[in-house]
Amino acid sequence: MTAAVFFGCAFIAFGPALALYIFTIATEPLRIIFLIAGAFFWLVSLLMSSLVWFMAETITGHRDGPVQEYVLVFGVLVSVIIQEAFRFAYYKLLKRANEGLKAINPDDAAPSLRLLAYVSGLGFGIMSGVFSFVNTLSDSLGPGTVGIHGDSPQFFLNSAFMTLVLILLHLFWGIVFFDGCEKKRWHTLLLVLLTHLFVSALTLVSPHYGVNLALAYAVLVLMGVWAFFVAGGSGRTLKLCLLCQDKDFLLFSQRSR
């Protein structure tokens, strides 16, 4: 990978996430703490997934062929389930922390659950994106072919766009997931888990990176619309935001909504 390709892919993958961080989180220390804690929870889920993967590889004796494919599918399934389990654990922790803040300082406005869902989802997404990008870089160094299905001229560009999709999807999944937990709509949690599994398994099912990317972006749009309305949005507020006429939106970085 040349330096130009590397920085181009990095900008595609992390540019929007960096902008979201700067304009909505960077000025609030408490939000930064919640974001780092969310990233830590994702790291712990990765550690747990790695332990399961190591045990599965040890049991199968590191054999190639169909056995390795089954182990790979099993690893993706377990990884997604563990990530969502840790998202639920983080929700419970934030719920307790929010209640504790209200009890200690009843006169101060505690962060809203929607804000906590947004920040934690971004923390999950950024850390997931970082590791996804690191894996792409390791593939570029070799040895062997790049990607599961062999070399592709568009692999690095598609990987950058897929990393961006995963970052934003974790953001939307966090908002929808926390709302489902708060309202005890367990089918919502199941839908988040299924869409997470679908996007994560795309590269295992099809060797066509462009098709996988299109399907992932379709899921991204649907989850983004769902998260927007779950967070209290409407057609009117969307119009005002796009026209920069929503004062509450413009003051988002100054106070919790």
Side-chain angles (χ1 to χ4, degrees):
M1 281 183 79
T2 64
V5 173
F6 170 77
F7 286 110
C9 291
F11 178 77
I12 291 172
F14 297 101
L18 182 61
L20 288 173
Y21 172 80
I22 292 173
F23 290 109
T24 63
I25 295 176
T27 58
E28 296 289 337
L30 190 60
R31 297 179 192 180
I32 295 175
I33 293 173
F34 286 136
L35 180 125
I36 294 174
F40 174 76
F41 266 71
W42 189 91
L43 280 174
V44 177
S45 73
L46 176 66
L47 175 62
M48 298 296 294
S49 302
S50 300
L51 290 175
V52 174
W53 170 266
F54 176 76
M55 289 188 291
E57 282 281 279
T58 303
I59 292 173
T60 57
H62 306 281
R63 286 179 290 179
D64 295 329
V67 175
Q68 187 65 26
E69 294 180 2
Y70 294 142
V71 172
L72 186 61
V73 172
F74 172 76
V76 171
L77 175 64
V78 170
S79 176
V80 171
I81 292 175
I82 291 176
Q83 285 181 53
E84 296 306 326
F86 272 84
R87 197 192 305 274
F88 181 76
Y90 191 44
Y91 160 78
K92 299 295 288 185
L93 177 64
L94 290 179
K95 183 76 172 176
R96 288 287 185 87
N98 216 19
E99 292 173 353
L101 289 174
K102 290 180 180 179
I104 296 173
N105 298 310
D107 297 331
D108 294 338
S112 67
L113 185 67
R114 291 173 181 171
L115 176 61
L116 295 177
Y118 168 82
V119 175
S120 65
L122 188 58
F124 267 63
I126 290 176
M127 190 54 62
S128 173
V130 168
F131 271 82
S132 176
F133 202 68
V134 168
N135 286 335
T136 301
L137 290 179
S138 66
D139 284 343
S140 69
L141 298 177
T145 59
V146 177
I148 297 175
H149 302 284
D151 292 319
S152 170
Q154 295 82 32
F155 175 77
F156 295 108
L157 186 61
N158 285 326
S159 296
F161 279 108
M162 186 62 79
T163 298
L164 172 60
V165 169
L166 287 174
I167 293 173
L168 295 179
L169 273 176
H170 271 291
L171 172 60
F172 298 148
W173 283 329
I175 295 173
V176 173
F177 191 95
F178 275 41
D179 182 75
C181 292
E182 189 70 8
K183 298 177 179 177
K184 300 188 185 303
R185 295 177 179 173
W186 308 121
H187 65 278
T188 298
L189 277 60
L190 179 61
L191 286 173
V192 170
L193 175 64
L194 291 177
T195 53
H196 194 169
L197 280 171
F198 175 75
V199 174
S200 299
L202 278 175
T203 52
L204 301 180
V205 176
S206 172
H208 305 291
Y209 295 119
V211 175
N212 298 339
L213 199 60
L215 291 174
Y217 267 89
V219 175
L220 175 67
V221 171
L222 293 175
M223 290 302 305
V225 172
W226 189 3
F228 175 75
F229 287 105
V230 161
S234 64
R236 177 179 176 276
T237 56
L238 177 61
K239 179 181 178 181
L240 292 175
C241 288
L242 293 176
L243 295 175
C244 296
Q245 295 177 353
D246 187 346
K247 295 181 179 179
D248 287 339
F249 176 79
L250 295 175
L251 294 175
F252 181 82
S253 59
Q254 277 74 42
R255 63 183 179 84
S256 302
R257 298 188 64 180

